[in-house]
Amino acid sequence: MLRWLIGGGREPQGLAEKSPLQSIGEEQTQNPYTELLVLKAHHDIVRFLVQLDECRFASAGDDGIIVVWNAQTGEKLLELNGHTQKITALITFPSLEACEEKNQLILTASADRTVILWDCDTGRQVRKVSSFQSTVKCLIVLQRLDIWLSGGNDLCVWNQKLDLLCKTSHLSDTGISALIEIPKNCVVAAVGKELIIFQLVAPTEESVEWDILEIKRLLDHQDNILSMVNVNDVSFVTGSHVGEMIIWDILDWTVQACECNFWDPSPQLDTQQEIKLCQKPNDISIHHFTWDEENVFAAVGRGLYVYNLQMKRVIACQKSAHDSNVLHIAKLPNRQLISCSEDGSVRIWELREKQQLAADPVPTGFFNMWGFGRVNKQASQPVKKQQENAPPCSLELIGDLIGHSSSVEMFLYFEDHGLVTCSADHLIILWKNGERESGLRSLKLFQKLEENGDLYLDI
């Protein structure tokens, strides 16, 4: 474990003049993360992080091991070994009713076609399933029904003891990329460019076995679905490889809104075709979503977009938020947003409202008599239209965290312990609030001096 102090931003090499990438100088007055801990335990890409409780988290990746850490000190608590290939999914799991001690459990899936249930307090394997016909790519727990689901080339339903209850037939060679729970005992599975609604049928007096029924297929996306999340009690959102974002009604599965034009929130007909032609397909892939009560935040290619649910339009954007694709975003308190990218950076943004400028008055008098006023008014209409279409908010860069040397896969935010990032450079970095940490060290020093009798106060 290494401890570094940091205090600066960066100037992207070779891009200082040509790139529209927003940069920030040495003085990052609004960035609290001025100190970091570098955690070393993995020897391959670290792709997954999951919070276990208020002071612990687990990490996993392509080396097949799971490590449990202390988020305050950066101490390595446990190393869980059992998989022989890379980890493909990681989630927390509710404590088993059969266990007297309510220990923290996690489920991990691997490319070795196994799923293991771990006890994160003891490090032991609780149970292991090895009966999969394909790699499990996603896991979801339905606590209300006391079951969990695994998604691969088929969809399987399991109980808490890891007994298989039922499964679908082979769905696709590409497999299920994402799963979410929706009302009416249903789940949504993203399979390629399709969304499949499945309903779970619990045992009854007439039938003692579980069943899973395919209810409907939604074919509105034109390309593979990369991201899917529940937004609120009435809708969920999906994003595709070609930049389509669709907001769905969570009850009847109809399209509430669709946004396919992220690259220009205030479109102009004469430049739109040019914009579409100059963008590569992978530049507009939607890799991740986050949300709050008012907005959906989308990671689209290298950019960040804020889509207002009520207005049904983009209200703020940073088209070049990073040098490479944005992989993960999270909404923080105080209208802040954090993003991480394939370029190895982690950036903090603040959503701010723009001040609307008053439109110029139409000339009158002598010029109006000759018709100049009328011409001027017509000429000003596109400007007014552009002002009306322009996003009313902006995303302003307030922090740039440079520590990783390769792609940052995801991160976790702890309100009391800072930010945790994982990367393709095999490292985990624990970013700390420098002012808070300095205060804690001073407090510990005074406590130690007082215990040793070395602290004397003049009365």
Side-chain angles (χ1 to χ4, degrees), residues 1-6 34-41 69-76 402-405 419 421 425-432 437 441:
M1 180 179 70
L2 303 175
R3 180 185 292 272
W4 293 351
L5 296 178
I6 63 174
T34 57
E35 188 174 324
L36 60 84
L37 298 172
V38 180
L39 313 181
K40 295 183 177 181
W69 304 89
N70 182 305
Q72 171 59 35
T73 64
E75 178 188 0
K76 177 181 171 181
I402 305 301
H404 288 290
S405 62
L419 191 70
T421 56
D425 62 11
H426 311 175
L427 300 177
I428 294 168
I429 294 182
L430 183 54
W431 305 85
K432 290 289 192 176
E437 293 301 307
R441 284 193 292 271

Side-chain angles (χ1 to χ4, degrees), residues 253-272:
W253 320 314
T254 56
V255 175
Q256 290 184 335
C258 181
E259 178 62 57
C260 305
N261 188 28
F262 281 108
W263 282 103
D264 192 4
S266 54
Q268 297 178 25
L269 296 177
D270 56 340
T271 60
Q272 186 58 37

Side-chain angles (χ1 to χ4, degrees), residues 256-386:
Q256 290 184 335
C258 181
E259 178 62 57
C260 305
N261 188 28
F262 281 108
W263 282 103
D264 192 4
S266 54
Q268 297 178 25
L269 296 177
D270 56 340
T271 60
Q272 186 58 37
Q273 191 63 29
E274 181 183 349
I275 290 173
K276 286 185 177 180
L277 289 174
C278 72
Q279 299 300 338
K280 298 178 182 178
N282 61 344
D283 285 342
I284 56 175
S285 297
I286 302 179
H287 288 282
H288 197 240
F289 289 114
T290 189
W291 68 96
D292 61 16
E293 294 179 355
E294 300 176 352
N295 306 303
V296 172
F297 302 83
V300 186
R302 297 180 294 125
L304 298 172
Y305 292 78
V306 184
Y307 183 89
N308 186 272
L309 293 168
Q310 184 175 2
M311 298 170 63
K312 295 186 178 179
R313 58 169 290 200
V314 173
I315 62 167
C317 70
Q318 272 291 341
K319 298 179 184 180
S320 297
H322 290 264
D323 284 327
S324 301
N325 285 334
V326 181
L327 300 181
H328 193 85
I329 54 177
K331 178 70 170 57
L332 301 189
N334 302 322
R335 296 174 69 83
Q336 292 184 356
L337 184 73
I338 295 186
S339 59
C340 66
S341 166
E342 291 175 347
D343 64 13
S345 66
V346 181
R347 314 193 95 187
I348 309 173
W349 309 85
E350 185 176 80
L351 183 63
R352 298 174 182 170
E353 293 185 3
K354 291 181 180 178
Q355 291 184 351
Q356 298 296 329
L357 298 176
D360 294 334
V362 177
T364 58
F366 175 80
F367 293 101
N368 191 40
M369 180 176 66
W370 290 97
F372 292 121
R374 183 172 63 254
V375 175
N376 230 12
K377 185 175 181 179
Q378 292 173 349
S380 68
Q381 285 180 353
V383 177
K384 289 182 179 179
K385 186 175 181 181
Q386 187 174 353

Side-chain angles (χ1 to χ4, degrees), residues 151 172 177 370 383 442:
S172 166
S177 59
W370 290 97
V383 177
S442 298

Side-chain angles (χ1 to χ4, degrees), residues 6-202:
I6 63 174
R10 64 169 182 176
E11 284 292 336
Q13 295 181 355
L15 293 171
E17 295 179 359
K18 296 181 180 179
S19 174
L21 186 73
Q22 189 175 148
S23 61
I24 190 169
E26 293 287 329
E27 294 298 326
Q28 300 186 32
T29 57
Q30 293 179 273
N31 178 13
Y33 303 113
T34 57
E35 188 174 324
L36 60 84
L37 298 172
V38 180
L39 313 181
K40 295 183 177 181
H42 293 277
H43 49 82
D44 210 331
I45 300 173
V46 188
R47 298 187 188 273
F48 302 100
L49 298 170
V50 65
Q51 183 172 345
L52 303 178
D53 50 39
E54 293 182 355
C55 61
R56 291 185 304 162
F57 68 94
S59 60
D62 289 5
D63 55 12
I65 65 173
I66 302 96
V67 181
V68 179
W69 304 89
N70 182 305
Q72 171 59 35
T73 64
E75 178 188 0
K76 177 181 171 181
L77 302 176
L78 293 169
E79 183 174 309
L80 312 179
N81 292 279
H83 289 295
T84 58
Q85 295 185 41
K86 67 179 182 180
I87 305 298
T88 54
L90 168 67
I91 59 168
T92 57
F93 194 80
S95 297
L96 300 175
E97 294 180 0
C99 298
E100 293 182 3
E101 298 180 1
K102 299 299 181 182
N103 291 352
Q104 178 61 62
L105 306 176
I106 59 171
L107 270 178
T108 57
S110 168
D112 61 13
R113 298 186 180 184
T114 65
V115 169
I116 299 178
L117 179 63
W118 304 89
D119 186 329
C120 289
D121 293 326
T122 64
R124 70 183 181 91
Q125 286 189 29
V126 180
R127 289 187 177 87
K128 183 176 182 178
V129 179
S130 306
S131 56
F132 296 95
Q133 301 301 312
S134 63
T135 299
V136 172
K137 297 181 179 179
C138 50
L139 300 165
I140 182 174
V141 174
L142 278 57
Q143 282 191 265
R144 186 173 53 83
L145 299 175
D146 288 328
I147 58 174
W148 60 278
L149 282 67
S150 62
N153 291 356
D154 48 25
L155 183 62
C156 301
V157 182
W158 309 80
N159 64 15
Q160 281 200 333
K161 297 180 180 179
L162 275 62
D163 299 320
L164 180 63
L165 302 177
C166 60
K167 62 182 291 187
T168 65
S169 58
H170 182 93
L171 293 171
S172 166
D173 290 335
T174 59
I176 299 173
S177 59
L179 282 168
I180 59 170
E181 181 182 7
I182 58 175
K184 303 177 184 178
N185 290 353
C186 291
V187 294
V188 185
V191 183
K193 63 178 71 173
E194 296 183 347
L195 292 173
I196 307 179
I197 310 295
F198 291 101
Q199 186 173 46
L200 303 169
V201 182

Side-chain angles (χ1 to χ4, degrees), residues 379-450:
S380 68
Q381 285 180 353
V383 177
K384 289 182 179 179
K385 186 175 181 181
Q386 187 174 353
Q387 289 177 349
E388 290 174 1
N389 290 332
C393 300
S394 64
L395 283 171
E396 299 298 326
L397 182 65
I398 62 173
D400 199 358
L401 309 182
I402 305 301
H404 288 290
S405 62
S406 190
S407 173
V408 180
E409 300 295 311
M410 70 170 292
F411 55 83
L412 289 177
Y413 170 72
F414 285 85
E415 185 175 359
D416 295 327
H417 304 306
L419 191 70
V420 184
T421 56
C422 64
S423 171
D425 62 11
H426 311 175
L427 300 177
I428 294 168
I429 294 182
L430 183 54
W431 305 85
K432 290 289 192 176
N433 183 318
E435 186 176 343
R436 176 187 171 91
E437 293 301 307
S438 178
L440 290 174
R441 284 193 292 271
S442 298
L443 181 62
K444 288 181 181 179
L445 177 61
F446 278 108
Q447 289 175 343
K448 188 173 182 179
L449 290 172
E450 189 176 14

